[in-house]
């Protein structure tokens, strides 16, 4: 029998929900634009059973996928567990068998050798298929109508890395997906396998290379000719795992390193650049200007995650766990390995930023992300005393003018990652933003939809769920043309 | 009722302008007095006077006169469970909030 009573923070709004659900023809405040035909698919996690270790990372949550299916102005909701071998083993045993984040040495001996992936990071639609992604394993294919788990997918055996990134990039010009796996040959190896997969789902290119040290390689950017791969201070080692520690620790002595990899080149063609310690967990976009590669991302000053603590035993510093939208410029003709960096906006933001994906690899103007605006009201008496500590706004950051427009969710709400949905044939930034808001006064989740060019006007529609949806890591809009929706 | 009859009833159909305006003023004053009486009657039934009470460190007016605890709507303050955590403890569990 499951017991969460000794988990003091898993209560109230944050108590695990642990159920699968269908809600047909959801309640809506406002009017859902009828031009939206597709689904907002979100992937995140919930705890089927409490974590085995109190200090385990929330990234160990069991994967849960949910979908808001839009058609003719009606929205249906569906939520399902991602039923990995790990999920099934725990359910059969009626307890948590798996230990710390990406450390099999802390697991129950009965699950030795079992795929311990939780599939809780990013949903992906590609080549007519729906996938869940988690960077410690292969993608899992999911039925796009039932959300039932089909199983791991290796692109007909041609994808040979043991791992697959949670952040592949699809080149809008060619339809190719650029993806990779790090620790590609197994736990604690410093191999990276980089792939090009065409729009039909066929692997067309593989490049294998090594990174200077085993590090988290969470996200990349692409230009027409290059792949930009940042690595930074999250480090690991077999010794660390055998000591029973969580996979990642933070090493502040490690410089930020960025690989610029030619998309049609060899490992010897890779240029490595080096800069001051930073954490580039997620990216926005990149482009080429003459001999320069320009890369933009919401980049943290230092370690953003206290559950991946400093390896020197020092205390995690929350003042450095702040992300700012930054531009890094790499001169491919330079003789040294330095690069320039500038902060584009002075305010700290959520690093879960998005752009209009039709403009990946190209010059672009708008970035979208959430942020906490302490000047906006927060009704502590209705929501709990979380004012100033939650993301309550979405911002549209204009990289051309330096201005920001914002959408406010309400005085009892926080916001999860924003998603930009382009209007068909619209210019850059024309379309909608979507994201799930947590309503702490009424203990429910609400999908907000706003005009991306009129954020100050508030929602055009708000889809109301009569319960809390699971926590989300990443969500993506998938047009009806991308998947065989019913 | 007697108060209404005594203060508001007009007995003549022929009115001068002065009388009409005077009667309007009187009727207005009477109406206000009647409303106050009715409101006081309701309040008398509910409570002699409102009591300032405290629920979850917030003040509210208790009109019930019953001293029963405040019963908030379901889900109210559902974020409170994290409110007293320091920044590290909060982000240890919920890095994206």
């Amino acid at each position: 029998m499951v017991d969460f009573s000794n988990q003091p923070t898993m209560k109230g709004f944050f108590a695990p929900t642990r159920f699968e659900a269908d809600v047909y023809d959801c309640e809506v405040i406002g009017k859902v634009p009828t031009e939206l035909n597709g689904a907002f698919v979100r992937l995140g996690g919930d705890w089927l059973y409490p974590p085995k270790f109190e200090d385990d990372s929330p990234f160990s949550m069991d994967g849960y996928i949910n979908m808001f299916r839009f058609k003719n102005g009606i929205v249906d909701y569906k939520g399902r567990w991602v039923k990995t071998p790990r999920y099934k083993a725990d359910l059969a045993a009626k307890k948590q068998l798996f230990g710390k984040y990406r450390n099999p040495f802390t697991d129950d001996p009965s699950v030795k050798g079992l795929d311990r992936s939780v599939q809780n990071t990013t949903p992906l639609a590609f080549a007519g298929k729906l996938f869940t992604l988690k960077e410690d394993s292969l993608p899992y294919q999911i039925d796009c109508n039932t959300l039932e788990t089909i199983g791991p997918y290796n692109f007909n055996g041609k994808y040979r890395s043991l791992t697959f990134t949670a952040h592949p990039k699809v080149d809008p010009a060619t339809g190719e997906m650029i993806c990779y796996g790090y620790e590609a040959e197994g736990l604690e190896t410093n191999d990276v396998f980089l792939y090009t997969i065409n729009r039909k789902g066929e692997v067309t290119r593989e490049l294998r290379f090594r990174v200077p040290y085993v590090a988290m390689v969470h996200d990349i950017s692409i230009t027409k000719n290059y792949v930009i791969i940042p690595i930074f201070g999250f480090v690991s080692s077999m010794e660390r795992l055998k000591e029973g520690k969580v996979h990642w620790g933070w090493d502040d002595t490690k410089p930020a390193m960025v690989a610029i990899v030619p998309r049609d080149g060899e490992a010897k063609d890779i240029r490595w650049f080096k800069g001051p310690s930073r954490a580039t967990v997620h990216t926005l976009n990149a482009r080429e200007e003459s001999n320069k590669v320009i890369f933009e991302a919401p980049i943290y000053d230092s370690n953003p995650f206290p559950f991946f603590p400093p390896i020197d035993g020092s205390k995690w510093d929350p003042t450095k766990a702040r992300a700012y939208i930054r531009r890094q410029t790499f001169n491919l003709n330079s003789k040294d390995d330095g690069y320039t960096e500038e902060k584009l906006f002075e305010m700290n933001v959520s690093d879960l930023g998005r752009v209009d994906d039709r403009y990946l690899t190209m010059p672009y103007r708008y970035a979208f992300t959430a942020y906490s605006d302490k000047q906006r009201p927060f009704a502590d008496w209705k929501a709990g005393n979380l004012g100033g500590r939650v993301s309550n706004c979405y911002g549209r950051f204009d990289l051309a003018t330096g201005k920001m427009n914002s959408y406010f969710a309400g005085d009892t709400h926080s916001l999860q990652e924003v998603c930009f949905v382009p209007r068909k044939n619209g210019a850059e930034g024309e379309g909608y933003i979507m994201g799930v808001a947590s309503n702490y006064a009424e203990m429910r989740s609400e999908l907000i939809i706003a005009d991306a060019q009129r954020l100050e006007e508030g929602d055009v529609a708000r889809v109301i769920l009569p319960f809390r949806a699971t926590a989300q890591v990443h969500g993506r809009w998938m047009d009806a043309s991308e998947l065989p929706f019913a | 009722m007697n108060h209404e009859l005594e203060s508001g009833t007009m007995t003549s159909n022929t009115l001068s302008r002065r009388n009409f305006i005077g009667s309007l003023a009187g009727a207005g004053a009477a109406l206000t007095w009647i409303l106050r009486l009715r409101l006081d009657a309701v309040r008398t039934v509910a409570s002699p006077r409102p009591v300032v009470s405290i629920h979850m460190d917030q003040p509210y007016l208790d009109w019930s006169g019953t001293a029963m605890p405040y019963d908030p709507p379901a889900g109210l303050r559902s974020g409170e469970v994290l409110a007293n955590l320091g920044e590290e403890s909060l982000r240890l569990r919920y890095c994206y909030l």
Side-chain angles (χ1 to χ4, degrees):
Chain A
M1 186 178 70
V2 71
D3 178 11
F4 284 93
S5 62
N6 61 349
Q7 304 289 331
T9 60
M10 294 186 191
K11 293 187 182 355
F13 196 93
F14 308 98
T17 51
R18 303 176 74 246
F19 62 85
E20 297 186 323
D22 291 278
V23 183
Y24 300 107
D25 197 355
C26 292
E27 182 189 347
V28 174
I29 300 171
K31 192 169 181 314
V32 172
T34 51
E35 64 187 289
L36 292 171
N37 181 11
F40 177 58
V41 180
R42 32 193 316 272
L43 187 62
D46 204 356
W47 293 101
L48 180 64
Y49 290 97
K52 201 161 175 249
F53 298 93
E54 197 185 318
D55 60 345
D56 195 10
S57 163
F59 296 159
S60 287
M61 287 196 288
D62 298 284
Y64 194 101
I65 184 166
N66 26 122
M67 175 170 78
F68 291 85
R69 173 76 172 100
F70 287 69
K71 194 172 179 182
N72 299 324
I74 301 292
V75 181
D76 297 333
Y77 169 89
K78 188 182 289 292
R80 296 287 188 272
W81 291 103
V82 183
K83 296 178 177 80
T84 60
R86 170 175 176 150
Y87 167 93
K88 291 176 185 171
D90 279 350
L91 196 56
K94 300 291 180 279
K95 62 180 181 179
Q96 179 66 257
L97 296 171
F98 296 84
K100 289 190 182 178
Y101 178 73
R102 293 177 72 179
N103 187 348
F105 294 102
T106 60
D107 293 345
D108 188 281
S110 66
V111 295
K112 188 178 162 91
L114 198 67
D115 180 354
R116 67 193 306 281
S117 179
V118 287
Q119 293 296 309
N120 64 9
T121 309
T122 315
L124 168 72
F126 187 73
K129 294 180 174 59
L130 175 62
F131 300 100
T132 56
L133 305 177
K134 176 76 173 176
E135 64 205 80
D136 64 356
S137 67
L138 290 176
Y140 270 62
Q141 191 182 352
I142 305 289
D143 184 303
C144 69
N145 290 302
T146 65
L147 295 190
E148 290 304 324
T149 304
I150 297 172
Y153 191 82
N154 65 3
F155 296 90
N156 300 312
K158 298 290 194 292
Y159 184 91
R160 296 193 180 88
S161 171
L162 295 176
T163 60
F164 190 103
T165 176
H167 292 288
K169 294 290 181 282
V170 177
D171 186 332
T174 64
E176 294 171 311
M177 176 167 67
I178 309 299
C179 54
Y180 64 98
Y182 71 91
E183 294 186 50
E185 297 248 60
L187 209 55
E188 303 301 345
T189 61
N190 62 344
D191 303 274
V192 174
F193 292 5
L194 181 66
Y195 289 88
T196 304
I197 302 181
N198 69 18
R199 63 173 80 230
K200 290 192 277 187
E202 298 162 335
V203 173
T204 57
R205 198 160 199 280
E206 178 190 85
L207 170 64
R208 299 186 182 195
F209 64 97
R210 293 209 165 117
V211 288
Y213 52 90
V214 178
M216 179 191 287
V217 190
H218 187 68
D219 198 354
I220 60 169
S221 270
I222 59 171
T223 68
K224 184 176 172 214
N225 296 299
Y226 298 98
V227 185
I228 297 91
I229 304 182
I231 70 169
F232 43 95
F234 284 130
V235 297
S236 193
S237 68
M238 198 57 80
E239 292 71 33
R240 179 181 175 79
L241 299 188
K242 287 180 178 171
E243 288 170 13
K245 294 178 179 169
V246 72
H247 194 93
W248 299 118
W250 177 263
D251 183 351
D252 213 35
T253 67
K254 287 282 190 269
M257 297 190 72
V258 182
I260 308 290
V261 184
R263 282 171 64 172
D264 61 356
E266 304 300 327
K268 62 179 174 54
D269 302 319
I270 297 173
R271 277 283 306 262
W272 281 99
F273 291 84
K274 205 185 291 186
S277 176
R278 293 272 187 263
T280 307
V281 184
H282 296 102
T283 68
L284 287 172
N285 199 1
R287 62 192 177 279
E288 294 163 39
E289 286 180 8
S290 178
N291 58 314
K292 297 191 173 72
V293 168
I294 316 288
F295 166 62
E296 279 132 5
I299 299 175
Y300 291 96
D301 287 335
S302 186
N303 181 8
F305 303 136
F307 41 82
F308 298 151
I311 62 170
D312 62 1
S314 59
K315 224 168 147 26
W316 178 73
D317 185 352
T319 65
K320 291 198 176 154
R322 289 178 185 155
Y324 298 88
I325 298 176
R326 290 176 155 120
R327 174 179 294 142
Q328 294 177 343
T329 303
F330 305 91
N331 185 342
L332 299 180
N333 287 349
S334 69
K335 299 277 188 292
D336 62 52
D337 61 3
Y339 57 85
T340 60
E341 181 185 274
E342 49 184 311
K343 209 184 263 188
L344 301 184
F345 294 87
E346 279 304 321
M347 52 187 287
N348 67 298
V349 298
S350 165
D351 81 315
L352 303 178
R354 304 291 303 157
V355 299
D356 184 338
D357 284 342
R358 300 172 302 166
Y359 285 76
L360 286 180
T361 77
M362 303 176 212
Y364 71 110
R365 184 166 174 178
Y366 301 114
F368 300 88
T369 189
Y371 67 98
S372 175
D373 184 348
K374 296 171 178 48
Q375 304 303 315
R376 302 275 196 168
F378 193 88
D380 289 340
W381 74 274
K382 283 198 285 186
N385 289 335
L386 290 179
R389 306 182 79 187
V390 299
S391 294
N392 57 356
C393 288
Y394 287 140
R396 184 189 75 166
F397 294 82
D398 188 332
L399 273 62
T401 65
K403 290 190 166 38
M404 192 266 297
N405 297 93
S406 78
Y407 163 86
F408 174 55
D411 66 355
T412 59
H413 292 64
S414 70
L415 288 163
Q416 297 182 12
E417 184 196 46
V418 69
C419 178
F420 174 74
V421 183
R423 186 167 281 127
K424 279 196 168 63
N425 304 315
E428 189 208 343
E430 282 184 14
Y432 300 96
I433 59 160
M434 280 186 196
V436 167
S438 303
N439 182 337
Y440 298 113
E442 296 182 75
M443 211 148 148
R444 68 186 191 195
S445 295
E446 302 164 0
L447 176 67
I448 71 97
I449 303 158
D451 186 320
Q453 295 180 299
R454 294 181 177 77
L455 295 184
E456 277 85 1
E457 294 176 11
D459 316 329
V460 300
R462 195 175 280 228
V463 182
I464 307 297
L465 291 181
F467 49 80
R468 296 164 294 130
T470 53
Q472 172 191 314
V473 182
H474 294 295
R476 295 288 181 265
W477 172 258
M478 297 172 183
D479 189 79
S481 60
E482 297 181 71
L483 290 171
F485 289 120
Chain B
M1 289 297 282
N2 286 337
H3 289 292
E4 288 175 48
L5 289 171
E6 286 170 13
S7 63
T9 305
M10 305 307 297
T11 56
S12 169
N13 289 329
T14 302
L15 300 171
S16 68
R17 180 182 295 179
R18 177 177 293 180
N19 286 346
F20 177 68
I21 291 172
S23 66
L24 279 180
L31 193 60
T32 303
W33 184 56
I34 290 162
L35 284 174
R36 187 177 296 123
L37 277 178
R38 287 188 177 277
L39 196 57
D40 285 350
V42 168
R43 287 175 178 168
T44 299
V45 169
S47 170
R49 61 193 66 192
V51 175
V52 175
S53 189
I54 303 290
H55 171 73
M56 302 286 278
D57 69 35
Q58 296 288 335
Y60 75 101
L61 283 179
D62 176 9
W63 287 95
S64 71
T66 60
M68 291 296 287
Y70 177 55
D71 184 20
L76 200 69
R77 291 177 71 95
S78 60
E80 184 65 17
V81 67
L82 303 184
N84 292 324
L85 295 180
E87 195 59 16
E88 180 174 355
S89 299
L90 179 69
R91 300 298 164 194
L92 204 59
R93 285 275 168 244
Y94 303 101
C95 49
Y96 292 116
L97 200 62

